[in-house]
Amino acid sequence: MWPELPIVQAPMAGGPSTPELAAAVSDAGGLGFLAAGYKTAEAMRADITATRRLTSRPFGMNVFMPSPDEIDPAAVAAYRDRLAPEAERLGVSPGTPSARDDGYDAKIADLLDDPPPYVSFTFGCPGQDVIKAFQRRGAVVIVTVTTADEARRASAADALCLQGSEAGGHRGSFTNTSGDPVPLRTLLQNVRAVTEQPLIAAGGLATASDIAGILDLGAVAAQLGTAFVRCPESGANPVHKAALADPRFTSTAMTRAFSGRPARGLVNRFLTEHSAHAPAAYPDVHYVTSPLRKASVAQGDPDGVNLWAGESFRKATETPAARLVASLTPR
């Protein structure tokens, strides 16, 4: 079921996960992952096709589950008004909320027609009918969980990806208000107590020693995202890559400011000024801030864009992905 090496490259929506990155990781013996989030089903399929051209090794595709949360339109509108001065400074207008399902049905239909070897889900667990349909097609199904209760609800999956509080990017919880994040090693113990499913551990892992420690605690593999963001094969924007090495960014924090869902990123001006005011409204807030974030990147301004990063971000380097996988492999 698992790749040669116990290293999974995290699916990172919004740019970092490219066919080149996934193929390089898989060719090196790890498991590369693509990300369908924020893409159309057609763009998702194009990434799969491109990756198959680049590697004959197994790789995966990650899908966002539709948001089940109730949204307060008035709170979203108030936050949009709050961001108007930011938008004016950048020469854009705040965005308008749009579809909330990320094209889920179209993506599932496309993937079931011709799935990659691994399919994973974030922000929830699909129904058993969907999981079994992928399993019948020969795909390994992985569900991201952040609590023991979520692990119980994902019992039909082939494996679970445990996302600890140290992880960068969005918290993959089943709901937008699921309590305080749990550190990875505690989460691993909590989930192992309720399931015998294979567990992939994610959150703040950046070295071979980190990975060896997680394997010793019972994980079958380690998933790393931030460690791969600065790789030349990564599609992360230059502002993001540079910020991970910029000494003026010294810490990370959880915030809803950019998307309306908790996510860990480098502490910059936007995060500091707006975190307390952002409603729990994903993906509505994502749509509202999207034009501002794009403009900030275009203008080279790291203080106006989400700089997703795990707690070990300072260890991310520009090392090519294959060499990075080799250096991360426990001896």
Side-chain angles (χ1 to χ4, degrees):
M1 177 187 293
W2 302 112
E4 174 186 345
L5 302 177
I7 297 170
V8 179
Q9 166 249 311
M12 295 173 282
S17 288
T18 63
E20 292 76 14
L21 180 59
V25 172
S26 290
D27 276 345
L31 177 60
F33 251 95
L34 302 169
Y38 310 128
K39 293 188 174 185
T40 63
E42 292 76 16
M44 176 193 74
R45 175 54 56 183
D47 279 354
I48 293 172
T49 300
T51 305
R52 284 173 170 163
R53 291 196 192 104
L54 293 169
T55 183
S56 60
R57 303 293 293 270
F59 63 91
M61 176 62 77
N62 176 259
V63 178
F64 285 173
M65 292 295 297
S67 174
D69 303 310
E70 293 291 331
I71 297 300
D72 180 356
V76 175
Y79 190 60
R80 190 175 188 275
D81 290 343
R82 174 182 174 82
L83 297 181
E86 289 264 6
E88 183 177 3
R89 178 180 60 81
L90 292 165
V92 298
S93 297
T96 301
S98 185
R100 306 188 69 245
D101 65 353
D102 200 47
Y104 176 80
D105 288 341
K107 290 173 183 177
I108 294 302
D110 181 276
L111 286 170
L112 281 173
D113 186 58
D114 184 16
Y118 296 81
V119 178
S120 70
F121 295 88
T122 300
F123 302 155
C125 180
Q128 288 198 19
D129 57 334
V130 173
I131 292 176
K132 291 183 183 300
F134 276 112
Q135 291 169 337
R136 286 194 296 269
R137 298 286 283 128
V140 175
V141 177
I142 303 169
V143 174
T144 302
V145 301
T146 62
T147 67
D149 180 62
E150 290 175 354
R152 291 188 188 95
R153 293 162 61 187
S155 61
D158 294 299
L160 304 177
C161 178
L162 312 188
Q163 187 193 46
S165 60
E166 305 91 337
H170 282 104
R171 188 177 182 215
S173 52
F174 287 14
T175 68
N176 202 349
T177 55
S178 58
D180 294 332
V182 179
L184 177 59
R185 286 156 183 81
T186 301
L187 179 61
L188 186 56
Q189 294 172 351
N190 293 348
V191 172
R192 178 47 75 216
V194 302
T195 182
E196 293 299 318
Q197 289 161 286
L199 306 179
I200 301 167
L205 307 176
T207 66
S209 177
D210 291 340
I211 295 172
I214 284 298
L215 298 180
D216 286 344
L217 290 176
V220 299
Q223 179 170 287
L224 297 85
T226 307
F228 287 99
V229 170
R230 295 184 65 204
C231 292
E233 299 92 344
S234 162
N237 65 70
V239 172
H240 190 180
K241 288 187 175 185
L244 292 175
D246 189 334
R248 76 185 181 91
F249 295 111
T250 60
S251 62
T252 66
M254 283 281 192
T255 182
R256 297 184 190 273
F258 297 102
S259 72
R261 176 179 262 275
R264 183 174 295 282
L266 299 181
V267 176
N268 61 4
R269 182 189 58 79
F270 193 102
L271 184 152
T272 300
E273 293 182 1
H274 301 297
S275 287
H277 305 278
Y282 177 87
D284 300 56
V285 171
H286 160 78
Y287 287 120
V288 167
T289 65
S290 179
L292 286 71
R293 291 182 281 122
K294 290 177 180 177
S296 292
V297 170
Q299 296 176 26
D301 178 11
D303 274 305
V305 65
N306 51 301
L307 303 170
W308 299 148
E311 290 185 353
S312 60
F313 72 92
R314 196 57 86 203
K315 296 178 182 177
T317 68
E318 295 178 323
T319 304
R323 285 204 342 232
L324 179 57
V325 170
S327 72
L328 291 170
T329 303
R331 304 301 178 189

